[in-house]
Every structure is written in structure tokens, then in C-alpha cells.
Amino acid sequence: SLDSVKRKCAINLRCGLFSYTKIPHEFDVILGVTGTLDSLGPYENEILINEYKISTRTITPSIYGAYKLKYRAGDNVKILFTKGSHRQEIVNSITEARENDRAILVFFDSVKEMGEFQTSEEGKVIMNLQT
């Protein structure tokens, strides 16, 4: 209807457009870039030096202490073939984190998948599920 067209009719105006990689060029001094500079390869280091003119670096230890995560292929990577086994693994991870007083975030591809997990037999065992 004409009323519907009037309510939905709009002109989209682009109010700003910029590249995040260009922002550092607007400043005379760059401080506190990231905690991962010591892991850059030769190509990335070359970009820092030639493109961003970062010639001096000081790397300080993390205020959070040493990195404690240890990669264990059997524990950190799992291949599961059914939805039920995948859901059970989510429950196991949540349970382990809670038992160790650790925070945990669980991400789902969609709200629908989250709802399916919550109403599944595996998901029902999680008490006080936060969404």
C-alpha cells in the first residue's frame, strides 16, 4: 500500500568510511600496540617498520602472568560424529569449568541451535543455564 511505502521509503547515506589500517598514520607516536609483537614473522615486522615507522619496541611481561594454556591434541581438539556426542562434550566442558571455578562462554551458530541444546537431554543436565 502507499502508506507502507511511505513508512519504509528511505535514503541510505554513508556517513563515514575509513580503513583501520590507516588510523595509526594520524598519530605521531604509537604506544601499547599489542601483546603479540614478539610472535610476528619477518613479513609482519617489515610492515611495522616500513609502513608504520615503528623502529623501536619494548616488550614487557604480561600483567596477567605466564600463559597457562597447554595445547593437548586429545583434549583441545575433538572430532564428534553425532549431535548427541557434540552436546555431551559441551556439557562436559561446562561441568569441568564450573568444578574448577572457571568462567565459560558457549557460542552457538544460531538461537535455534541454542534452544535445541537447552531442550535436549544433554542440555537439561546443566542447572542455572545462562543465555
Side-chain angles (χ1 to χ4, degrees):
S1 73
L2 183 58
D3 186 47
S4 176
V5 169
K6 286 180 181 178
R7 282 183 300 182
K8 301 291 184 183
C9 190
I11 297 174
N12 291 323
L13 300 175
R14 184 173 288 181
C15 296
L17 180 67
F18 59 90
S19 169
Y20 284 103
T21 63
K22 301 295 181 189
I23 293 173
H25 295 293
E26 299 298 317
F27 300 93
D28 294 328
V29 178
I30 299 172
L31 299 171
V33 179
T34 178
T36 58
L37 283 178
D38 57 341
S39 64
L40 297 180
Y43 177 74
E44 291 90 357
N45 278 312
E46 199 173 301
I47 292 172
L48 285 178
I49 293 166
N50 296 331
E51 179 71 21
Y52 295 103
K53 309 300 181 213
I54 297 176
S55 58
T56 304
R57 288 188 259 179
T58 302
I59 298 175
T60 59
S62 171
I63 62 170
Y64 302 106
Y67 187 70
K68 296 177 184 174
L69 181 64
K70 303 288 186 244
Y71 176 76
R72 297 177 311 271
D75 294 333
N76 298 124
V77 176
K78 296 187 191 289
I79 299 173
L80 305 165
F81 296 100
T82 67
K83 279 191 175 186
S85 62
H86 183 232
R87 290 175 180 155
Q88 186 59 52
E89 190 58 37
I90 292 170
V91 170
N92 294 346
S93 294
I94 292 170
T95 303
E96 180 184 351
R98 284 182 170 180
E99 288 171 353
N100 292 305
D101 292 324
R102 289 183 16 238
I104 186 166
L105 296 174
V106 180
F107 294 90
F108 293 89
D109 286 335
S110 67
V111 173
K112 179 184 174 197
E113 282 192 34
M114 182 178 67
E116 288 172 0
F117 173 78
Q118 288 174 314
T119 58
S120 70
E121 291 303 314
E122 298 85 7
K124 287 179 184 175
V125 303
I126 302 297
M127 300 300 293
N128 302 318
L129 187 63
Q130 298 295 312
T131 58

